Amino acid sequence: GQTFRATEPNLDSVEIMLATYQRTNTSPLLFSLYEYPAEAPLRTVVAEPDSISDNKYHTFEFAPIPDSAGKAFLLTLESPEAVLGDAFTAWLGRCDCYPEGTALLNGEEQPRRDLAFRVGYHNEVTSVLSELINRMSQYKPWFFKGVPLATLGLLSLALALLAVGSFTSSLLRRGERQVEWPWIPAASL
């Protein structure tokens, strides 16, 4: 298992680096997600053995957890039907690669060890664009933040389209008498 802290709302997937040692395993792998500490799993996903590749991240997807931001979770992997030579391996780092969590083996914490994992969140397009704008304007003055930044971006896009459109239309009207357009400074783009 591995403990971790979600940074965003709508946690909806966990990817774990798994290995098969180039075997064809036959036992399914059970992924469970708990709020940490807790008794009952919030989400459970069964991975069929033929869906797991050797030395690649396997994605366990589940229904989003809306209030996941800031909460601690525990993910567990188990394969009750597995036997020696017919089981999956989860990659475990020899470092405290993720200081906000700890790897567990048979319920016991493994100091300075972490699973190779990453988490995913379900984000609506509007929240992704909002996050992009916030990150782009992180250390900028007020007029490069939020709505002014979006407005400046749209104006720049409109000017670029106008310049390309006027240039293209002048190329298409080669034989006709052309109306002179005033020069648009390239620096404004």
Side-chain angles (χ1 to χ4, degrees):
Q2 172 75 41
T3 61
F4 67 94
R5 185 166 302 279
T7 58
E8 304 287 329
N10 297 315
L11 174 67
D12 75 343
S13 65
V14 175
E15 297 178 348
I16 303 171
M17 178 71 84
L18 299 174
T20 64
Y21 290 98
Q22 299 177 356
R23 294 185 306 249
T24 304
N25 294 324
T26 60
S27 302
L29 188 60
L30 178 66
F31 167 88
S32 299
L33 184 68
Y34 301 82
E35 190 170 337
Y36 188 71
E39 305 269 329
L42 297 172
R43 305 288 189 267
T44 302
V45 179
V46 176
E48 293 303 322
D50 58 349
S51 70
I52 299 173
S53 300
D54 191 27
N55 295 321
K56 293 198 178 355
Y57 280 96
H58 182 80
T59 304
F60 296 92
E61 293 182 303
F62 43 85
I65 301 172
D67 59 344
S68 61
K71 291 187 176 179
F73 292 94
L74 166 67
L75 68 87
T76 63
L77 293 172
E78 55 186 309
S79 187
E81 301 167 16
V83 294
L84 187 63
D86 185 11
F88 294 100
T89 298
W91 281 97
L92 185 69
R94 292 185 180 168
C95 62
D96 191 11
C97 307
Y98 180 71
E100 293 185 40
T102 305
L104 293 104
L105 184 59
N106 295 325
E108 292 184 30
E109 287 190 7
Q110 303 296 305
R112 296 180 305 281
R113 306 273 182 181
D114 287 304
L115 285 179
F117 77 103
R118 49 193 182 203
V119 297
Y121 302 94
H122 177 77
N123 291 317
E124 299 297 325
V125 173
T126 55
S127 67
V128 171
L129 290 175
S130 173
E131 182 67 19
L132 177 65
I133 288 172
N134 286 338
R135 288 186 183 209
M136 285 174 51
S137 63
Q138 189 171 6
Y139 299 108
K140 309 278 188 304
W142 69 269
F143 50 87
F144 282 124
K145 293 185 181 285
V147 175
L149 178 65
T151 305
L152 184 63
L154 288 173
L155 285 173
S156 297
L157 179 63
L159 282 173
L161 290 175
L162 178 66
V164 169
S166 67
F167 178 74
T168 305
S169 67
S170 68
L171 289 177
L172 295 176
R173 295 182 289 153
R174 282 273 182 209
E176 302 173 18
R177 184 168 179 253
Q178 297 180 9
V179 176
E180 293 291 323
W181 284 79
W183 183 73
I184 299 173
S188 68
L189 299 175

